[in-house]
């Protein structure tokens, strides 16, 4: 099975909140990340959370981590059309190699 | 500072041909990584350089892929001969330290299409 799973598509209206969910399987994950990819652009690090945290807030972004259920979510408040992009969840396991395991990405479409 | 630069941005080649992708990391970054995303799939790790040495190449799919980083600056990823399943977006990333505290900086990717 896949290590990191995400729903593939989310559609919201401008001004609404968006919640993108992610589940991971490795309980030894130490860092979890959200990356954003806009069309034609690279992967932009949006935010990250340490595994010993439950929540992290950064302006319109709120990350929630439920270690028991291995569930990570990204909430975007007051979603704008410029937030339309693919959002990737990624985990890092402290196995001695600094590699990331990504999900397939969630395409967020924000309509006016 | 300039970001991670990749070129070409797009490449369309025929099956059996050779393609070389190039990545210029952020100046001074010792760590350089290659990842790829096959259409609709996850972004998967290919390999990791520390300076000119391969730290981890466990993600390289087969011996048709050859990565180099001579001199510890830019890196190339050669696919020879290319197959249809090699189509996807190849991302390069770099970091100054071997730490995952802030993740690392990705380039815009090279979209490879093998026809």
């Amino acid at each position: 099975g896949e290590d990191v799973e995400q729903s593939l598509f989310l559609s919201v209206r401008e001004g609404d909140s968006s919640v993108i969910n992610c589940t991971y399987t490795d309980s030894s994950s130490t860092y979890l990340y959200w990356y954003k990819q806009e069309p034609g652009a690279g992967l932009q690090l949006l935010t990250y959370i340490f595994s010993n945290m439950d929540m992290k807030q950064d302006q319109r972004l709120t990350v929630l981590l439920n270690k028991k259920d291995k569930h990570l979510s990204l909430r975007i408040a007051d979603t704008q059309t410029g937030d339309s992009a693919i959002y990737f969840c990624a985990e890092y396991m402290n196995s001695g190699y600094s590699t990331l395991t990504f999900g397939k990405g969630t395409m967020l479409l924000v309509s006016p | 500072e300039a970001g991670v630069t990749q070129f070409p941005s797009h490449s369309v080649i025929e099956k059996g041909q050779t393609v070389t992708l190039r990545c210029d990391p952020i100046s001074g970054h010792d760590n350089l990584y290659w990842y790829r995303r096959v259409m609709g799939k996850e972004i998967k790790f290919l390999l990791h350089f520390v300076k000119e040495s391969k730290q981890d190449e466990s993600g390289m799919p087969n011996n048709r892929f050859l990565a180099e980083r001579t001199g510890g600056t830019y890196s190339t990823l050669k696919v020879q001969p290319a197959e249809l399943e090699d189509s996807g977006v190849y991302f390069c990333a770099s970091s100054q330290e071997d730490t995952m505290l802030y993740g690392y900086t990705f380039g815009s990717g090279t979209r490879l299409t093998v026809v």
Side-chain angles (χ1 to χ4, degrees):
Chain A
E2 295 160 357
D3 293 334
V4 179
E5 294 190 8
Q6 302 177 236
S7 53
L8 295 182
F9 185 75
L10 176 65
S11 178
V12 301
R13 287 195 175 277
E14 192 172 24
D16 289 348
S17 292
S18 307
V19 179
I20 302 171
N21 295 301
C22 168
T23 56
Y24 59 99
T25 56
D26 199 310
S27 58
S28 64
S29 295
T30 51
Y31 303 112
L32 293 140
Y33 305 87
W34 284 104
Y35 280 86
K36 175 184 180 183
Q37 184 187 19
E38 297 181 33
L43 295 166
Q44 172 196 354
L45 178 63
L46 272 184
T47 188
Y48 61 91
I49 189 168
F50 302 138
S51 58
N52 61 357
M53 297 168 64
D54 298 323
M55 184 183 88
K56 180 179 180 183
Q57 187 151 5
D58 183 4
Q59 299 181 332
R60 293 190 297 121
L61 305 178
T62 303
V63 179
L64 295 178
L65 175 60
N66 181 329
K67 283 199 71 175
K68 175 176 171 290
D69 295 337
K70 299 190 184 70
H71 183 266
L72 180 75
S73 68
L74 173 70
R75 178 177 181 270
I76 306 172
D78 187 26
T79 314
Q80 303 297 306
T81 54
D83 295 323
S84 293
I86 302 175
Y87 291 79
F88 292 93
C89 169
E91 64 174 343
Y92 166 68
M93 294 163 279
N94 192 15
S95 60
Y97 296 106
S98 37
T99 62
L100 296 178
T101 301
F102 286 87
K104 289 185 178 180
T106 299
M107 178 175 288
L108 173 65
L109 179 63
V110 184
S111 54
Chain B
E1 65 181 1
V4 176
T5 306
Q6 292 186 246
F7 48 93
S9 57
H10 294 81
S11 180
V12 181
I13 61 170
E14 292 184 350
K15 178 184 169 185
Q17 289 187 321
T18 297
V19 63
T20 301
L21 314 180
R22 173 169 167 149
C23 169
D24 285 71
I26 292 173
S27 178
H29 281 194
D30 288 340
N31 295 278
L32 186 148
Y33 312 84
W34 284 98
Y35 283 76
R36 78 170 176 178
R37 185 184 188 215
V38 173
M39 182 64 71
K41 302 271 190 181
E42 306 87 349
I43 299 171
K44 284 201 176 258
F45 167 78
L46 295 178
L47 88 159
H48 170 204
F49 282 100
V50 177
K51 296 185 180 177
E52 67 274 10
S53 300
K54 292 176 185 174
Q55 175 80 0
D56 179 6
E57 51 184 330
S58 60
M60 295 287 265
N62 52 60
N63 59 11
R64 294 185 295 102
F65 289 75
L66 175 64
E68 295 179 324
R69 194 183 181 197
T70 307
T73 54
Y74 70 90
S75 174
T76 58
L77 179 64
K78 183 194 292 188
V79 185
Q80 178 183 28
E83 298 289 345
L84 299 178
E85 65 263 25
D86 300 331
S87 295
V89 181
Y90 290 75
F91 292 103
C92 176
S94 72
S95 68
Q96 188 168 23
E97 298 172 0
D98 191 17
T99 173
M100 297 309 293
L101 180 62
Y102 302 112
Y104 30 70
T105 304
F106 281 87
S108 298
T110 294
R111 181 175 295 279
L112 174 64
T113 303
V114 183
V115 297

